[in-house]
Amino acid sequence: MNTQAQQQKLLIGAKAMSKGFGYAYTGTKGHLMGVIGSLPEDPDILLRNGWKELSRPEAKAHGHRKFEEEATGLLIEFDEETPGAPGFRGANHYHILNPDATDYDAWNLDKDGNPVPRHSTPSHILPEKKKK
């Protein structure tokens, strides 16, 4: 008899399937959507939530940071805003790296978890703003 966990497909690259604090199993698209929907404005919060920082020092000094969710191997990049810059350079944003990418045409995932080209508009994911 198959359990619901066995029926759900793991994301490629996922290291484990376990139930996290949310309602989706770690390593599933539901889990990915939960991650995307809760990306913080301050990337240091990721560290407090168990993510590992992989940033190179010179990149971090210029506002580019990289993180890994150790339970799944999911990689995300954070780009700090440049005040006064146009478009996405003027806003804090994330990029979710596609674990199945074989070329730049599907390098990232969009806000819905679909593959998109590197540096494309949909590859830029804005963090959730806290409601006051």
Side-chain angles (χ1 to χ4, degrees):
M1 183 168 170
N2 288 339
T3 66
Q4 183 179 3
Q6 292 168 329
Q7 293 170 357
Q8 292 198 21
K9 183 179 177 187
L10 275 176
L11 290 173
I12 301 300
K15 296 178 184 174
M17 182 186 283
S18 62
K19 197 115 183 207
F21 291 109
Y23 294 102
Y25 284 91
T26 301
T28 64
K29 186 156 184 180
H31 172 75
L32 175 64
M33 298 310 298
V35 168
I36 292 171
S38 63
L39 291 170
E41 287 192 67
D42 178 1
D44 288 331
I45 292 172
L46 293 171
L47 299 173
R48 293 194 295 266
N49 290 336
W51 289 71
K52 178 180 174 183
E53 184 151 10
L54 305 176
S55 307
R56 294 185 334 269
E58 62 276 8
K60 187 175 179 179
H62 289 95
H64 305 289
R65 299 172 71 181
K66 190 174 198 173
F67 301 90
E68 177 185 27
E69 184 182 42
E70 292 190 90
T72 64
L74 182 66
L75 297 172
I76 62 173
E77 297 173 334
F78 174 81
D79 292 325
E80 187 176 332
E81 70 182 342
T82 301
F88 287 110
R89 289 186 327 177
N92 288 339
H93 63 274
Y94 290 89
H95 297 278
I96 310 284
L97 277 67
N98 180 359
D100 296 329
T102 57
D103 59 32
Y104 289 132
D105 288 336
W107 195 256
N108 295 111
L109 300 174
D110 67 9
K111 65 181 180 65
D112 297 316
N114 300 311
V116 295
R118 184 176 187 205
H119 301 301
S120 65
T121 297
S123 76
H124 296 78
I125 300 173
L126 299 174
E128 282 295 309
K129 301 264 185 210
K130 296 285 182 204
K131 295 194 177 169
K132 295 183 180 184

